[in-house]
Amino acid sequence: MATDDLAWPASWALNTCTVLVEAIVLGTAQTGGQGVLYAGLDAGTGNRLVIRGTGTPLAVDLVIGANTSTATLPVAVANGAAVQVAVEVDDNGTTQRVRIGGTVNGTSAGYSAFGTASARGTLPAGANLRLNRVGNAGAQGSAWFRRVSVMPGLLTVDDMIARL
């Protein structure tokens, strides 16, 4: 992948929403720090939402200023696994937090607990949505993507798919 592969402007609000990623995770996508989905500035700075590998499961980070809300998928994701991952961004008007859940190879992975609540923030002007990379030069993963969608509300994978 080159630095500009699979990138789009990310102009959606970081209020209460769910991000759905359907993919087949390949090799480095589940390796520690490797990118699956990234929404933020290309430099990897500022407020951002990151779905990344941890070595076996996937995790999500919502970075707002100096604070990070993190959650980890409750099950491991092996090389070649088909995933349907829903990341919920919960926004109560004062704070935001994230959790991650879904399916791995068609079997429920359950949902993590919500991460620590952080002060509320937004994606910065000029933010991009990138697949397989953190920022435009950061840690690159590898996955085949079927579908990526962002919808308002806290939704399950099944809810998201039913609305598409």
Side-chain angles (χ1 to χ4, degrees), residues 68-113:
T68 302
S69 178
T70 297
T72 303
L73 193 67
V75 301
V77 176
N79 184 20
V83 297
Q84 292 178 306
V85 175
V87 169
E88 296 177 345
V89 178
D90 181 34
D91 181 345
N92 69 8
T94 304
T95 61
Q96 293 170 308
R97 59 192 186 152
V98 291
R99 77 175 186 159
I100 186 171
T103 67
V104 176
N105 291 326
T107 301
S108 177
Y111 279 81
S112 68

Side-chain angles (χ1 to χ4, degrees), residues 5 17 21 38 43 46 54 64 82 87 93 105 111-112 122 132 140 161:
D5 287 348
C17 66
V21 175
Y38 173 86
T54 65
I64 304 294
V87 169
N105 291 326
Y111 279 81
S112 68
T122 61
N132 280 335
Q140 185 171 341
I161 291 170

